[in-house]
Amino acid sequence: QVQLVQSGSELEMPGASVKVSCKASGYDFTYYGLNWVRQAPGQGLEWMGWINTKTGNPTYAQGFTGRFVFSLDTSVSTAYLQIPTLKADDTAVYYCARLRSGWFYDYWGQGTLVTVSS
Amino acid sequence: QSALTQPPSVSGSPGQSVTISCTGTSSDVGTYNRVSWYQQPPGTAPRLMIYEVTNRPSGVPDRFSGSKSGNTASLTISGLQAEDEADYYCGSYTTSNTLIFGGGTKLTVL
């Protein structure tokens, strides 16, 4: 069965870096794009962008360019979200989700809570 | 680009029907039939309930239905059950080749 399994919660200090992983199983990893979605505490879903798992080409939403990095390791069917130089307002749950051609998400990871605090 | 507009909250009694609206623009909801709806109970990941305006994935009860008119999409839940209590989000593809979500609607089953 299709699964997206994310790495565990992270507690980091401001200025540190974090790398969240999203491991896919149960389907051909390079057949569907992988999206990242942020949900700040008590807030709604925010589209961060997506990565083409066939080419490795990332697309970032407005507000997420420059400081967020999407990457892949297709040998282990895993996508990564890296946030260098963390700020307090990066505190959120980050989800990966599988993109279908109609621009909807049929499978989601369980979410990774990143807490930035001194 | 601003989020799609959803009512912050709706409520209904068990057995009743509720409708959640999702208003966008001609740059998103009004142009494409690529509107989806997600259910998110507290502390859990979102779950796909409706895709491409009207389609239900397998496993989603037929009490959930979707529609669209102009720049507004709607999710209707009939025969409300206690387990339907959750936050609901719409999402739409846009003319900028991006996706935009609604602000979310909290459904309370009275």
Side-chain angles (χ1 to χ4, degrees):
Chain A
Q1 74 281 24
V2 174
Q3 280 192 303
L4 297 175
V5 179
Q6 298 184 224
S7 48
S9 299
E10 304 270 8
L11 173 59
E12 300 289 350
M13 297 190 63
S17 172
V18 72
K19 194 170 187 177
V20 176
S21 66
C22 170
K23 182 170 176 58
S25 61
Y27 71 98
D28 181 347
F29 181 68
T30 61
Y31 194 75
Y32 301 98
L34 237 295
N35 283 237
W36 291 96
V37 176
R38 182 171 78 177
Q39 188 168 36
Q43 302 301 307
L45 304 176
E46 196 174 9
W47 188 73
M48 300 177 65
W50 71 291
I51 186 163
N52 184 318
T53 53
K54 204 178 296 288
T55 65
N57 183 50
T59 298
Y60 300 97
Q62 267 186 1
F64 292 97
T65 53
R67 212 165 56 82
F68 297 81
V69 181
F70 305 153
S71 61
L72 301 171
D73 184 343
T74 55
S75 70
V76 289
S77 300
T78 300
Y80 301 95
L81 164 65
Q82 185 166 11
I83 314 173
T85 323
L86 284 162
K87 304 176 183 178
D89 61 6
D90 292 324
T91 294
V93 175
Y94 293 85
Y95 293 101
C96 62
R98 190 176 81 163
L99 175 67
R100 298 298 300 270
S101 59
W103 276 81
F104 58 93
Y105 308 115
D106 57 349
Y107 288 92
W108 294 67
Q110 82 276 21
T112 297
L113 173 62
V114 174
T115 303
V116 184
S117 174
S118 54
Chain B
Q1 192 166 10
S2 300
L4 304 175
T5 301
Q6 296 182 233
S9 63
V10 297
S11 62
S13 299
Q16 287 187 331
S17 293
V18 295
T19 296
I20 300 171
S21 62
C22 170
T23 300
T25 69
S26 57
S27 296
D28 39 67
V29 175
T31 292
Y32 299 104
N33 286 328
R34 291 179 168 180
V35 177
S36 49
W37 289 91
Y38 304 89
Q39 177 193 64
Q40 187 181 35
T44 70
R47 173 194 178 192
L48 177 68
M49 304 302 284
I50 296 287
Y51 65 96
E52 293 172 336
V53 179
T54 60
N55 297 307
R56 262 189 326 274
S58 62
V60 172
D62 60 7
R63 303 184 294 103
F64 291 83
S65 62
S67 63
K68 191 185 88 166
S69 177
N71 293 339
T72 299
S74 299
L75 173 71
T76 297
I77 310 169
S78 57
L80 264 183
Q81 298 182 4
E83 67 202 49
D84 299 332
E85 190 160 288
D87 293 329
Y88 289 83
Y89 295 90
C90 60
S92 176
Y93 181 64
T94 81
T95 54
S96 302
N97 296 319
T98 63
L99 187 113
I100 187 169
F101 286 109
T105 298
K106 181 177 179 63
L107 169 62
T108 301
V109 181
L110 302 170

